[in-house]
Amino acid sequence: MEPTNFFTQLAQLDINGQIVLTIAKGAENNLIVSTLIRPLSPADANKSPIIPYNLTATAEELNNCYFERVTTPLTKAGEIIDNMDEYMKSMENLTVKSHREKAKSGKPQGGTDKRVQKYEEAMKKADDLEKQGKYSDAWSALPKASEYPEHAELIKNRQSYFEQQIWPDLFGNNNTDSTSEADNEYDNSETENV
């Protein structure tokens, strides 16, 4: 068997993130290679809106052009991920600032301060349990998304992350929902035939 330089070429892409490859057999002796870039931080991986980049070709064609085709899209995805941490922190800071401004405005909050405090305590408890590696307990400590609709997306993302830690997917798929949703994401992903 001839040695391959696949991993050397992969390392030369210098992507600041996780590269997740999924390879499946397609029709007519083709392979479907799905390449996904996720942030290094597992908590940010669930927030990433980046879909996989798919190539469909024969093994020989992929040998000749895989890196040529994926270099530009993966590099751009890596640049987006580099900025994602800062973006998410700014969004969280903006949310906290907004709550403070509402509290200062003097409008009757009807228990909002206690509500915000309860939310922040639950999130802190989940963070502490996560640091201890107690993902099941961290999942349970999260506040209910239905009680905090303004934070529902963040809560659901954290729940998904904890679920992935408790029951990891063998193929590195972020989607823990039903198969039909996974099929929809695959159908909507960018597919390129070589």
Side-chain angles (χ1 to χ4, degrees), residues 96-126:
V96 170
K97 184 177 179 181
S98 173
H99 287 297
R100 287 182 190 150
E101 291 298 321
K102 286 180 184 177
K104 288 180 184 177
S105 68
K107 294 179 183 175
Q109 297 295 317
T112 300
D113 289 338
K114 289 181 183 179
R115 187 173 171 274
V116 169
Q117 183 178 3
K118 183 179 175 184
Y119 168 80
E120 290 173 353
E121 287 173 359
M123 293 300 282
K124 183 177 181 340
K125 183 176 181 180

Side-chain angles (χ1 to χ4, degrees), residues 138-155:
W139 188 94
S140 298
L142 288 171
K144 290 184 173 50
S146 60
E147 293 178 10
Y148 299 93
E150 68 276 15
H151 300 292
E153 185 176 342
L154 177 64
I155 294 168

Side-chain angles (χ1 to χ4, degrees), residues 5-15 19-21 35 37 66-67 70-71 74:
N5 62 353
F6 179 82
F7 294 102
T8 303
Q9 289 182 353
L10 200 60
Q12 289 173 351
L13 290 177
D14 196 28
I15 302 294
I19 300 174
V20 180
L21 292 175
T35 310
I37 301 295
Y66 176 77
F67 285 100
V70 300
T71 299
L74 296 184

Side-chain angles (χ1 to χ4, degrees), residues 9 13 53 55 61-75 192 194:
Q9 289 182 353
L13 290 177
Y53 183 77
L55 288 171
E61 291 171 331
L62 288 167
N63 284 338
N64 294 327
C65 72
Y66 176 77
F67 285 100
E68 181 181 306
R69 296 288 178 106
V70 300
T71 299
T72 301
L74 296 184
T75 303
E192 181 178 329
V194 177

Side-chain angles (χ1 to χ4, degrees), residues 8-55:
T8 303
Q9 289 182 353
L10 200 60
Q12 289 173 351
L13 290 177
D14 196 28
I15 302 294
N16 186 20
Q18 297 176 1
I19 300 174
V20 180
L21 292 175
T22 304
I23 302 171
K25 282 197 166 201
E28 301 174 13
N29 292 325
N30 283 334
L31 292 175
I32 302 167
V33 179
S34 180
T35 310
L36 174 66
I37 301 295
R38 295 191 311 192
L40 289 173
S41 166
D44 292 336
N46 293 324
K47 301 173 189 175
S48 177
I50 299 172
I51 61 172
Y53 183 77
N54 297 323
L55 288 171

